[in-house]
Amino acid sequence: MVMVSLAVLCTSIHTFAADVKGPAPDFTLASKEGGNVRLQEQLGNVVLINFWASWCGPCREELPYLEELQQEYADLGFTILAVNVDEDPSKADILLNDIPVSFPVLFDVNDEVSKLYDVQAMPTTVIVDRDGNQRLLHHGYKSGDEMKYKQAVKALLRE
């Protein structure tokens, strides 16, 4: 199944980043805080979409860095949408009890949004500019990758 493939890719120490162009596919997902969140509602903000799973070690390592990024740039028109891909959302809650975050956590239990974004590794990060265009796609995570995100976010906030 897809999750088995993602589990294998999650353990990889290699990462891949690419500049991408074109509109980010719109989506609406249920939020941990209740209600739904739609990507199109974020037009005007720089958005980092992070696909993650509770069983993914690199995801667990990356989340605190994403929280730091959120805290540093939230007042400048930046937000993170953390898209959890666990089939059981309660597994995400367990991890988030250990690593609390202030940004929205969304649930993609049927992998519909993951398929829209062709997620092939855990974690996968997509950065979207203020106009709703994809600007960066990053598969995997290793220590230091958060600096690539920070550079991209800073550049997009200045545009």
Side-chain angles (χ1 to χ4, degrees):
M1 188 170 201
V2 174
M3 286 300 151
V4 173
S5 298
L6 290 175
V8 171
L9 289 170
C10 179
T11 61
S12 172
I13 60 169
H14 301 290
T15 61
F16 168 77
D19 292 325
V20 292
K21 298 282 185 195
D26 191 24
F27 60 84
T28 302
L29 288 172
S31 170
K32 179 182 185 315
E33 291 74 30
N36 292 324
V37 173
R38 183 175 180 204
L39 179 61
Q40 283 294 102
E41 294 170 348
Q42 297 298 323
L43 284 177
N45 292 324
V46 173
V47 180
L48 184 150
I49 306 166
N50 181 258
F51 294 89
W52 65 282
S54 63
W55 44 261
C56 171
C59 301
R60 177 180 286 271
E61 184 181 345
E62 181 181 49
L63 277 173
Y65 294 114
L66 295 179
E67 177 63 19
E68 288 177 17
L69 198 61
Q70 175 71 26
Q71 294 298 321
E72 187 169 353
Y73 295 107
D75 292 340
L76 300 174
F78 170 74
T79 193
I80 294 173
L81 300 178
V83 179
N84 178 266
V85 300
D86 287 314
E87 291 177 5
D88 178 0
S90 67
K91 292 181 180 180
D93 290 335
I94 293 168
L95 184 141
L96 294 169
N97 285 335
D98 293 339
I99 307 170
V101 296
S102 61
F103 45 80
V105 174
L106 312 176
F107 299 111
D108 186 23
V109 295
N110 297 318
D111 293 325
E112 292 171 6
V113 176
S114 300
K115 289 175 186 169
L116 274 178
Y117 282 86
D118 195 28
V119 173
Q120 299 176 12
M122 283 289 118
T124 290
T125 300
V126 177
I127 300 180
V128 178
D129 68 19
R130 294 180 192 269
D131 296 323
N133 294 306
Q134 292 185 78
R135 299 291 289 273
L136 180 84
L137 171 65
H138 188 90
H139 295 291
Y141 174 78
K142 67 179 182 341
S143 182
D145 284 348
E146 65 277 1
M147 295 309 296
K148 295 174 192 172
Y149 306 154
K150 186 173 184 172
Q151 289 174 336
V153 168
K154 284 172 59 174
L156 291 174
L157 287 171
R158 284 193 291 259
E159 285 186 1

